[in-house]
Amino acid sequence: MGQRTAQTEKALSVDELANRREWWSVAQKTRSKRLDYLRKGVWKKGAIGGNYAPGIKIDLTLPQLFTEKWQEQEGEPIMLQKAHAIAHVLDNIPIFITDRSQIMGYIGSAPHQIVWHWQGISMVNEEIYNEEGIIPEPEEESLEILATLNDYWGGRTAVDKLARILDPEDAVKFMSGAIGWGTPTSAATYSTKDFTYIFKGFEALLAEIEERMEETEQKLQGNPSPQLLPLYDKLPRWEAMQIVLEASIRYAKRYARLARTLAEHFESDPTRKEELLRIAETCERVPAKPPRNLQESLQFDHFVQVLARYETFEGAWPHRPDYVHGPYYDKDVNQEKRLTKEEALDLVGEHLIRTYEVGIFAPKWAREGLQGITGTWVWTMGGVKPDGSDACNDMTIAYMQAARLVRVSNPTFGFRWHPKVKDEVLRECFECIRHGLGYPSMRNDPVLVANTVHWYGHPVEEARTWVHQACMSPCPTTKYGCQPMRMASATANCAKMIEYALHDGYDPVVNMQMGPKTGDPRQFKDFEEFFGAWVKQMEWLRNILVRTVNLGRVKDPEFFGRPFLSAIYERAVETGTDACDPSNGERGNAWVTGFTWVENADSLAAIKKFVYDEKKYTMDQLMEALNANWVGYEEMRLDFVKNAPKWGNDDDYVDDLMVRCLREVSRHAKENKCPSNNNWPLLPENVSGNIHYANLVGALPNGRRLGDALYDGGISPGPGLDKKGPTAVLKSCGKFDHVTDGRAFLLNQRLSPTQLSGEKGYQLWKAYMKTWADLGLDHVQFNMVDDATLRAAQKDPEKYQEVIVRVAGYSAHFVDISRKTQDNIIQRTVQGLG
Amino acid sequence: MSRRDKWKSARDAMMGPLARAKGVKNRESVPETCCGKCQMWSENAYSSEGRGTCRVLKMGSDLNSNQPTYVLEGEAGLISYFNMDASRCTYFTKMELIDTDGTECSDPHFRRALRQMKKFNE
């Protein structure tokens, strides 16, 4: 394919390209000129491997504006101080309108710049100072600015404050980077948003806040009592909410003014002039008032997302845009015929592109763990309405079609499958997968609604509103269901559970006594004793992460402050609290993300079989081999790889151990409590954490060496270790209960694009999905790009810029991930169906 | 020393005032022999601001004094920075720097992607 000349490439028709499965070329030929222009003009903000693309620079305007106002307001309550600083940024940050675009709003001063919030984590502030390639020219001047910012914020950030009150042992172990990742602050976070409330318009929210302030002020004039005292703290919080809402309206109106100025004084093309005037009208209307049509509803939505990211790093994008915008599409396209389907598709496609272009600086560990993207922006599609009826609409289809045209790797979609989904919608999902997007991931709605009710007690009508809070975890979008802050900061590197059980709690890689001393395994009498040590290490690892995050959560209103998010959270407006304050009625929806989980089951099975049941090797021999990183023990290592039972082959020996491990964790998940006194279930998945942690997890009894990539999924078998076909994988995964044994379970599968071509391919996939649903699995996602294409892309990346693969809970352009991750994806078993 | 005090000194080394350089000059200064060029030093996986851990020395070691102290037993490895002067450390073992552009990720033992280390790659 790579040998074709430019001339023959041009001559190929769309059908011919489709037959060759060159879907990226099909997209370029079939999308509108506007979408083609916008797609090609967008800056890539995700890291390539671990580094930002050439030309991407850190924005220094935002932190300087923020800090100068912050310093002026020193001494005010934090939420008020921050509201003034954010308003100052929104009033002064440079804005721009991209040619041919119809949706406004960007985070930063120029389209090639990414932002960071200096108030959050001083370690990351220093990392930016040290980072190569992103410092704007002239470098010397920029370094002075950065050093001044860092000198001021050092010791003052949310994480600095938290580290001072954490138990010092917990702080050191948490920040060793070995056992987990994430930051226990809403400085690096994400939040569910309830658009039924937000779409009332900011003027309505301002009126509500004003009413509550007046009511409170009246109470404060009454008889003094202890009950009145907390009210004094509410007033500055409400005032902070007012300040940011008013600044948000002004920010939108700056775009309106710019668009009108361009239309009236600079634009000569009458069509574009008309578009600019429509943009002006739209930005004058929203977010101040409720949207009336599709453009206004998309614009309102995008402003909210942009504004939230002017407040903090929102690394995920919990959303259900087909459900939110569907009624406006229906009104414009079907009822009033104000827009044609093609015009609507342009708006929807641009919505994806504007989202893709959002970039916020991510520290190195996050870039390695989320290669190729800026955050896990998994948008939720389909599903049911609160009454249980089918929620799919024309907008569901429009998003799927637009995704195939613009082929961005962020956002991706998770589709809430349920038995009433119409065939035409399911076909759209399949077409996206067949086109090699790697999304939508398929989610089993009835299972996940039941799971949401089981773990947190959300009422079923609320559970049915769920969106992906990040990659995988459902969260209701209701007044008491919305999660304001990333609770998966408790992200565990689970392979350490088995590693610490083998090493008496010592971490040979980071040279530290991490877990409890559970004893030298050479002295254990039987497998039960060894398993007991594993349970203790598992409990310790979860405890330290959850403790840290719980503390970060309750201290967040004091250490960070979220005036904008609070202003759009109904329960925060009602109670005059910070949105992150868990005392304002939040029900709780926390989970522990379990990276590198399956290594536990495979390693335990190998130990049980070879050391205890068959006595083929002594524990002493195994420990010698592991301590040598298997060097000098290759024959023995291959025995452990090939002949020890492996998860994903419908083999009860290892599958029973997986179920046993999950049930131990689920028991413990109910003993860990979040600040709302709710549970902390496990959610096994990896983003590209399996690559990030490759050098931090030592040799394991499944035959893995230090440095080898870990398994890629949450419950996916090891690459190439699932020998018995796709049904055996599903059967293994169906042996535990996806409602009660954990929060959700990520399963990666690779399918053959040749086998799944045409109508026959769709029917095969549909039959596979039926088995998946019948077995009660909650998740599955597919890669359907053949090895030849992926290898060609490795050799000639320039030609394959829009080839997308599913990495884990997200998709990425193949050329943007590291070689190690690329190879890991190619190694995954291609499953033949039927 | 109590458990809390012992770990407090490790935490302060990691995050306290001593850990923070001020101004451009201090941040740019990288001695010819520094922890960042040593095989025994691993960059921390949690942050890439230059913090790391020694695989030989433990907390309580002191490389800054005229007569360095080497502690080889203990629960936590010595936390130091990439630009810490290691000229007096008898355990310093110079490493070959490979993959210095950081594009191939997850090889912290062999990657020093910090801008200030660039001069050693040229």
Side-chain angles (χ1 to χ4, degrees), chain B residues 15-100:
Chain B
M15 301 200 64
L18 289 175
R20 283 194 293 274
K22 292 265 185 184
V24 170
K25 196 178 162 192
N26 289 331
R27 287 187 172 90
E28 292 300 307
S29 159
V30 186
E32 187 61 36
T33 304
C34 59
C35 289
K37 290 170 77 176
C38 179
Q39 278 185 24
M40 302 302 163
W41 188 79
S42 294
E43 199 171 333
N44 184 285
Y46 188 71
S47 171
S48 295
E49 96 283 32
R51 196 157 37 100
T53 316
C54 182
R55 281 187 283 131
V56 179
L57 301 178
K58 298 285 189 174
M59 281 308 296
S61 301
D62 180 3
L63 302 181
N64 288 321
S65 62
N66 288 334
Q67 288 187 313
T69 315
Y70 305 111
V71 178
L72 302 176
E73 298 292 330
E75 292 200 341
L78 176 70
I79 294 161
S80 72
Y81 278 71
F82 75 103
N83 56 355
M84 185 169 168
D85 186 358
S87 58
R88 275 173 288 195
C89 179
T90 54
Y91 294 93
F92 178 83
T93 315
K94 190 171 181 298
M95 70 184 288
E96 292 303 316
L97 298 173
I98 60 165
D99 186 25
T100 47

Side-chain angles (χ1 to χ4, degrees), chain A residues 43-57:
Chain A
W43 285 79
K44 190 189 289 263
K45 305 290 169 42
I48 301 171
N51 283 352
Y52 283 107
I56 298 293
K57 302 290 173 190

Side-chain angles (χ1 to χ4, degrees), chain A residues 504-692:
Chain A
D504 195 16
Y506 190 79
D507 192 316
V509 182
V510 297
N511 193 22
M512 200 184 293
Q513 182 67 39
M514 297 289 274
K517 293 193 173 182
T518 44
D520 181 346
R522 295 173 186 87
Q523 311 303 321
F524 293 162
K525 294 186 301 291
D526 52 28
F527 178 75
E528 287 309 305
E529 203 174 342
F530 186 88
F531 190 77
W534 180 88
V535 171
K536 283 185 184 145
Q537 298 296 346
M538 175 274 289
E539 290 177 345
W540 170 83
L541 203 151
R542 284 178 46 97
N543 283 347
I544 184 174
L545 297 170
V546 169
R547 264 199 307 268
T548 307
V549 175
N550 276 351
L551 182 63
R553 173 63 197 274
V554 295
K555 287 289 178 187
D556 201 67
E558 184 186 333
F559 291 166
F560 193 70
R562 302 291 302 278
F564 178 75
L565 190 70
S566 305
I568 59 170
Y569 258 46
E570 186 176 4
R571 63 175 190 254
V573 169
E574 190 175 286
T575 56
T577 54
D578 188 301
C580 292
D581 184 340
S583 73
N584 63 18
E586 181 191 352
R587 209 171 282 120
N589 201 67
W591 75 94
V592 175
T593 299
F595 285 178
T596 64
W597 167 252
V598 179
E599 278 78 1
N600 287 288
D602 277 5
S603 295
L604 285 166
I607 291 168
K608 183 172 190 293
K609 182 179 168 76
F610 285 159
V611 177
Y612 294 108
D613 288 357
E614 295 179 359
K615 300 188 189 333
K616 191 171 181 181
Y617 303 97
T618 64
M619 183 60 89
D620 199 33
Q621 284 173 304
L622 176 61
M623 290 309 297
E624 269 185 35
L626 295 178
N627 288 336
N629 194 24
W630 292 106
V631 174
Y633 299 86
E634 187 60 13
E635 199 177 323
M636 180 179 168
R637 187 183 82 82
L638 290 175
D639 198 19
F640 275 74
V641 173
K642 290 178 184 167
N643 300 321
K646 294 287 184 291
W647 167 252
N649 292 290
D650 191 19
D651 176 350
D652 285 344
Y653 192 93
V654 56
D655 295 356
D656 288 352
L657 276 167
M658 171 67 99
V659 176
R660 193 175 172 194
C661 289
L662 285 170
R663 298 215 163 129
E664 283 292 341
V665 176
S666 290
R667 168 193 55 76
H668 188 248
K670 290 180 178 166
E671 293 165 12
N672 286 151
K673 294 294 177 191
C674 77
S676 302
N677 205 27
N678 220 324
N679 304 314
W680 276 93
L682 185 74
L683 193 163
E685 68 151 327
N686 285 300
V687 269
S688 48
N690 61 317
I691 304 296
H692 171 72

Side-chain angles (χ1 to χ4, degrees), chain A residues 293-294 322 325-339 344 393-395:
Chain A
N293 55 49
L294 184 62
D322 60 339
H325 301 297
Y328 301 94
Y329 180 99
D330 186 49
K331 184 180 165 212
D332 279 6
V333 178
N334 300 331
Q335 293 174 38
E336 296 180 2
K337 305 205 185 301
R338 186 177 164 270
L339 290 176
N393 57 45
D394 286 353
M395 204 56 173

Side-chain angles (χ1 to χ4, degrees), chain A residues 48-51 122-124 126-133 135 139-140 143-144 146-148 150-152 154-155 159-160 163-178 180-184 363-365 368 371 506 508-514 517 691-696 706-707 818-821, chain B residues 3-17 19-29 40 42-51 53-59 71-72 74-79 81-83 99-118 121-122:
Chain A
I48 301 171
N51 283 352
S122 58
M123 283 183 290
V124 180
E126 291 295 343
E127 183 169 340
I128 291 170
Y129 181 91
N130 292 344
E131 184 78 22
E132 197 188 340
I135 312 291
E139 187 176 278
E140 208 173 312
L143 289 175
E144 278 293 345
L146 284 164
T148 307
N150 288 3
D151 288 350
Y152 173 76
V159 167
D160 287 326
R164 282 198 285 272
I165 61 165
L166 271 174
D167 180 277
E169 183 176 348
D170 282 2
V172 171
K173 291 180 176 177
F174 185 88
M175 290 175 189
S176 71
W181 76 350
T183 42
K364 195 101 183 167
W365 57 262
E368 289 184 352
Q371 292 169 43
Y506 190 79
V509 182
V510 297
N511 193 22
M512 200 184 293
Q513 182 67 39
M514 297 289 274
K517 293 193 173 182
I691 304 296
H692 171 72
Y693 282 120
N695 275 48
L696 287 165
L706 173 71
S818 73
R819 179 73 187 215
K820 199 166 189 167
T821 315
Chain B
R3 178 198 70 88
R4 189 174 178 83
D5 286 344
K6 194 172 63 177
W7 285 100
K8 212 172 155 190
S9 66
R11 184 195 62 191
D12 290 347
M14 190 182 265
M15 301 200 64
R20 283 194 293 274
K22 292 265 185 184
V24 170
K25 196 178 162 192
N26 289 331
R27 287 187 172 90
E28 292 300 307
S29 159
M40 302 302 163
S42 294
E43 199 171 333
N44 184 285
Y46 188 71
S47 171
S48 295
E49 96 283 32
R51 196 157 37 100
T53 316
C54 182
R55 281 187 283 131
V56 179
L57 301 178
K58 298 285 189 174
M59 281 308 296
V71 178
L72 302 176
E75 292 200 341
L78 176 70
I79 294 161
Y81 278 71
F82 75 103
N83 56 355
D99 186 25
T100 47
D101 70 358
T103 303
E104 184 58 37
C105 60
S106 278
D107 285 318
H109 293 280
F110 303 108
R111 189 195 67 234
R112 301 286 182 263
L114 302 147
R115 182 178 46 75
Q116 295 94 319
M117 296 294 279
K118 195 178 171 186
N121 305 331
E122 288 164 351

